[in-house]
Structures are given as C-alpha cells and as structure tokens.
Amino acid sequence: MDTNPDRTVSGAAAPPILAVEALTRSFGGLTAVDRCSFRVDAGRITGIIGPNGAGKTTIFNMVAGALPPSSGRILFDGDDVSSLPTHELFHRGIVRTFQIPHEFGRLTVLENLMVVPTSQPGERLWRVWTSPARVRRREREVWERAEDTLRFLTLWDLRDELATNLSGGQKKLLELGRAMMTEPRLVLLDEPGAGVNPTLLVKLRDMIRQLNQRRGYTFVIIEHDMDLIASLCERVIVLAEGSVLTEGTMDAVRRDPRVIDAYLGGGGEGGAAHGG
C-alpha cells in the first residue's frame, strides 16, 4: 500500500510539485525548447534524458531562474514562478547543482557548506553587537548541520581541505552537500555522474537514493549514464529537439523506436550549441 501522503489527496492523484507548461525558449532564430510540457511528482526521482542539444540544460536553467522563458509557464506547488529569479526560487526550496561543480575553491570543505544556509544573523554586523547569543546559537546550528552533512557524504576527513584540491567526484559530493544544507524541496541534479569514477559513482547513487527515501527529497536528474538513471528513476522523460518525445519507465523508453532514432539518428543536433 502506498503510504506516502504526497502521492494521493482524498483518493485522487496529488498535484505535482513542479509542472512545466508549453515552455519555450528561443535564442535568436534558434528554438532550444519548444512548447515543452511535463510534471514532476513530489517525493520521487525523475530522470530527464535526450541527445545533445535536446534542451535539457536550458530547461534546468529556466526552472532554476537563470533564464526567463520566451513563453509558457513554470508552476511550483501550484504557483507560477516563471518570472522569479534564482535567489527567490532558492528561498522557496528549489536548488540546482551543476555538471561542472561551482565550489568556492579558496574556502575549506566545511566552510563551503557553512556559507549556504540563509537567515544567518551574523551576516549583519550590528546583530553581532546587539544579539550575540542569537548569532552564536545560529552559528552552532549551522556548524553542526555542516558536520553531519560531511559525515553523511564521507567527506569528514577532508573538512579542513581547500575545496579546490578535491577530486572531481569529491566536488560532486560537495555540491550535493551544499544542496542538503538548505533542506530543499526540489533538487535539480545536472549530470551528477559526469567525471566521477565508478566507485564514487556507486556511493553518490546510494546517497541520492537515501536522501529521497529517508528525507523525502524530490530529485530531477539530467544524466547521460543510462544505468544510473535506470537504477534511480521511477519515471524518465525523454527530450528531443526541445520537446518531450515520450516518458515512462526506463525499460519502456529504452524499447521505444523513437528514442532509439533520437539517439542514433541525429535527433536534436541542431540545438547542440546550447549545451543540451
């Protein structure tokens, strides 16, 4: 029996946490995303796949507030957030990681996590003087949360290492840790497996699964590693030429002749300049 309260409401299907409706984004004369529509259910791991130039990263950029749509809507928890900038979406619980990690290289691994949480009174100098106990209490909360996160990620031994010295895979773990520091409601993972060695990739996969199953994180994952997608995602959305080609389980989409043609027949190559 499904006991997840996000799955049903009074016996009916629960509304999606994210709904993309007829989303379009053009760059000059090139349409990178073309009236694309899909939904993401809360508490699930959803994969987005497609050939290079299919519009995957452009969609992530719009959902995360880095790019405004040319037309269409993005609904988060039923609210139209299409025009909101990244920092406002961040406060609503939408967090995005990158294919190439964006760590603060000259800060330590621990410091990279501690700068993430919002509502830190110590960021305002006058609060240090007027509310020192409150500042110390919040700093202790953030410190303890960062330590717990590093232990979960098995990065504890590297807590005092400069982030720039981490391996590519360790930087991916640090990106995930920065997302964890915000208690996100929706995490957009952009190719988490890229540049990660096989051993660390297994660890990363298991951590994503634990965060979904034990903490209820909702993930949307762009990934070219089909085995990683198959092992994590209940539902997969296939993009080609900026639109949804098909969606379903990984087994179903793998057998779809349209998907095979999109990957092997050159579908979507016209948009490759925009990075997928």
Side-chain angles (χ1 to χ4, degrees):
M1 184 176 73
D2 191 343
T3 58
N4 187 335
D6 291 325
R7 303 288 170 86
T8 59
V9 176
S10 301
I17 190 171
L18 175 70
V20 169
E21 298 181 349
L23 201 63
T24 299
R25 174 68 199 198
S26 298
F27 297 91
L30 175 65
T31 300
V33 178
D34 187 10
R35 296 187 57 80
C36 184
S37 299
F38 62 84
R39 58 179 281 163
V40 171
D41 294 326
R44 306 247 179 141
I45 305 176
T46 300
I48 297 181
I49 66 173
N52 289 335
K56 305 182 296 295
T57 297
T58 302
I59 288 173
F60 260 28
N61 286 338
M62 287 189 283
V63 172
L67 276 177
S70 299
S71 62
R73 297 198 306 169
I74 301 167
L75 303 178
F76 182 65
D77 261 354
D79 296 330
D80 190 337
V81 297
S82 309
S83 61
L84 295 185
T86 299
H87 68 275
E88 291 192 28
L89 294 172
F90 174 83
H91 287 292
R92 287 178 178 242
I94 299 178
V95 179
R96 185 256 176 96
T97 70
F98 294 86
Q99 178 182 356
I100 300 175
H102 289 188
E103 77 282 353
F104 297 108
R106 296 182 65 83
L107 298 182
T108 68
V109 170
L110 180 63
E111 289 167 342
N112 263 264
L113 298 187
M114 292 188 65
V115 299
V116 175
T118 59
S119 303
Q120 297 196 49
E123 293 176 350
R124 294 173 174 83
L125 184 59
W126 61 273
R127 287 267 176 85
V128 176
W129 299 101
T130 61
S131 306
R134 180 184 174 193
V135 171
R136 288 195 299 270
R137 184 168 59 251
R138 179 56 175 158
E139 285 181 346
R140 172 54 58 183
E141 291 172 355
V142 172
W143 184 287
E144 290 175 353
R145 183 171 184 80
E147 288 185 331
D148 289 344
T149 299
L150 290 177
R151 290 189 177 96
F152 174 82
L153 297 171
T154 65
L155 291 176
W156 176 249
D157 290 343
L158 296 170
R159 61 191 179 278
D160 296 323
E161 185 68 60
L162 292 180
T164 192
N165 295 332
L166 299 183
S167 69
Q170 290 167 340
K171 289 179 180 180
K172 289 292 181 77
L173 290 177
L174 183 59
E175 282 257 299
L176 182 60
R178 287 166 60 180
M180 291 171 59
M181 290 295 293
T182 70
E183 279 297 332
R185 301 197 56 233
L186 175 65
V187 183
L188 309 173
L189 296 178
D190 192 348
E191 297 202 32
V196 179
N197 70 62
T199 301
L200 198 54
L201 184 59
V202 171
K203 181 185 297 185
L204 179 62
R205 179 201 65 197
D206 291 344
M207 289 174 178
I208 293 170
R209 185 179 290 128
Q210 287 183 51
L211 291 172
N212 170 252
Q213 295 177 348
R214 299 182 183 179
R215 304 193 188 185
Y217 287 18
T218 301
F219 287 98
V220 182
I221 303 177
I222 291 174
E223 182 57 62
H224 286 291
D225 185 329
M226 295 299 99
D227 290 336
L228 181 61
I229 288 288
S231 67
L232 284 174
C233 301
E234 300 175 66
R235 183 163 145 269
V236 179
I237 299 165
V238 185
L239 300 182
E241 299 183 325
S243 300
V244 174
L245 181 65
T246 188
E247 56 185 286
T249 65
M250 191 64 200
D251 285 342
V253 301
R254 269 177 165 159
R255 294 193 300 267
D256 193 315
R258 295 171 299 171
V259 176
I260 297 171
D261 181 65
Y263 273 97
L264 301 180
E269 288 300 319
H274 295 285

